[in-house]
Amino acid sequence: MNDFAPHITKKRFGQHFLHDKNILSRIVEYVAPKPGERIVEIGPGEGALTLPLLRAAGGLTVIELDRDLIEPLRKRASGVGELTIVHRDVLEVDITALAAGATIRLVGNLPYNISTPILFHCLDQAAAIRDMHFMLQKEVVERMAAGPGSKTYGRLSVMLQLRCAVEPLFDVPPTAFAPPPKVDSAVVRLAPLPADKLPQADFEMIDRVVRAAFGQRRKTLSNALKGVADADDLAAAGIDPRLRAEQLAPATFVSLAQHLQAKG
């Protein structure tokens, strides 16, 4: 018996609660939580995914911004396992501090209206993260996994793929949520790369180059990168200035960033 009044979803928080038991089971199966693992769920909502994760791991930390969800969630989790609730905006949470010197596993049905900022927030702290299993808008997952030459390939694709192995897992229809979103969703696994596989260049410089290149993606690189890199810089990195950003592999952006960094 449910002792709680139905939660009224709040549009400003981008709330769409997953309720399909088959989808929930598949996510838990992919995460495969083990007792003692440090797992953090972003946006637990009403706890549909929280409880099976908690049951399997024995302990779980959740980050929830909506104060109206916190007490009902705490009560639902009573007797299931040790639940720690962080009542904050995930963009303000120090994930590295949560890891406490270890590595954590992140799980979440991310609010679609701020999913990209959350992804970049996690990327900035990737050294403290073992893996991430996220539900996102399907279009965003496609962008995350896109390769050069694709219309969906862009800044998100490059910056994610330089730091993580990106593995789309499965699609999720709108009917799996309440209320149903107007878009299809998908679950993706992100595994941060080990230190020896990371680009040997400053990520701020890489991001500056990538942001400029895709900021005007219809322009050739010689025009899009004005103020960041000149013709000599492009030549030094082996880049044809007539190409457009979507034609470059992630490693080529790294080469340009390395050159600019060395040049000072």
Side-chain angles (χ1 to χ4, degrees):
M1 181 175 175
N2 191 343
D3 297 328
F4 307 102
H7 177 76
I8 299 172
T9 55
K10 298 171 183 173
K11 193 171 182 181
R12 72 181 185 276
F13 291 151
Q15 290 176 340
H16 296 278
F17 297 139
L18 184 63
H19 62 76
D20 186 302
K21 291 183 179 178
N22 290 329
I23 299 295
L24 288 162
S25 294
R26 289 186 74 185
I27 294 172
V28 174
E29 189 178 322
Y30 273 111
V31 176
K34 303 288 190 301
E37 289 183 332
R38 196 180 293 267
I39 302 175
V40 176
E41 183 186 6
I42 298 171
E46 296 181 308
L49 184 57
T50 309
L51 298 184
L53 289 173
L54 185 58
R55 201 170 287 117
L60 183 71
T61 296
V62 298
I63 301 169
E64 179 54 66
L65 180 58
D66 188 348
R67 69 173 64 251
D68 293 341
L69 290 166
I70 290 175
E71 201 50 40
L73 184 61
R74 197 188 306 278
K75 290 181 179 178
R76 288 189 182 103
S78 178
V80 179
E82 186 179 338
L83 184 69
T84 301
I85 300 176
V86 178
H87 176 216
R88 293 190 72 184
D89 181 337
V90 65
L91 295 175
E92 298 174 357
V93 173
D94 186 336
I95 293 170
T96 303
L98 279 183
T103 56
I104 59 174
R105 308 186 68 197
L106 295 180
V107 183
N109 173 20
L110 302 188
Y112 294 172
N113 53 344
I114 58 164
S115 61
T116 299
I118 292 174
L119 288 170
F120 278 105
H121 181 62
C122 293
L123 273 188
D124 287 341
Q125 302 176 75
I129 300 169
R130 183 178 129 195
D131 59 19
M132 299 169 258
H133 290 79
F134 290 147
M135 173 93 71
L136 297 147
Q137 188 173 335
K138 182 180 177 182
E139 179 188 329
V140 174
V141 172
E142 289 172 346
R143 282 166 48 206
M144 291 162 67
S150 165
K151 289 182 179 178
T152 55
Y153 179 69
R155 175 179 173 241
L156 183 63
S157 322
V158 173
M159 298 309 294
L160 269 176
Q161 291 170 32
L162 287 175
R163 290 194 180 185
C164 298
V166 182
E167 182 185 0
L169 298 177
F170 60 92
D171 296 344
V172 181
T175 52
F177 301 87
K182 295 178 180 177
V183 295
D184 288 335
S185 305
V187 177
V188 65
R189 176 189 285 138
L190 301 170
L193 300 174
D196 62 346
K197 300 289 186 185
L198 293 174
Q200 299 305 301
D202 178 58
F203 271 101
E204 286 188 15
M205 177 62 80
I206 297 172
D207 190 50
R208 184 183 172 206
V209 169
V210 172
R211 191 189 290 268
F214 284 101
Q216 303 180 76
R217 61 185 300 148
R218 292 187 179 182
K219 291 190 174 183
T220 61
L221 287 165
S222 61
N223 289 319
L225 289 171
K226 276 183 180 174
V228 176
D230 59 26
D232 290 340
D233 296 324
L234 293 175
I239 297 171
D240 183 338
R242 297 167 296 179
L243 295 178
R244 290 180 172 78
E246 70 246 27
Q247 295 172 277
L248 297 191
T252 308
F253 288 106
V254 174
S255 296
L256 179 56
Q258 287 171 329
H259 165 74
L260 293 173
Q261 199 175 325
K263 177 183 169 184

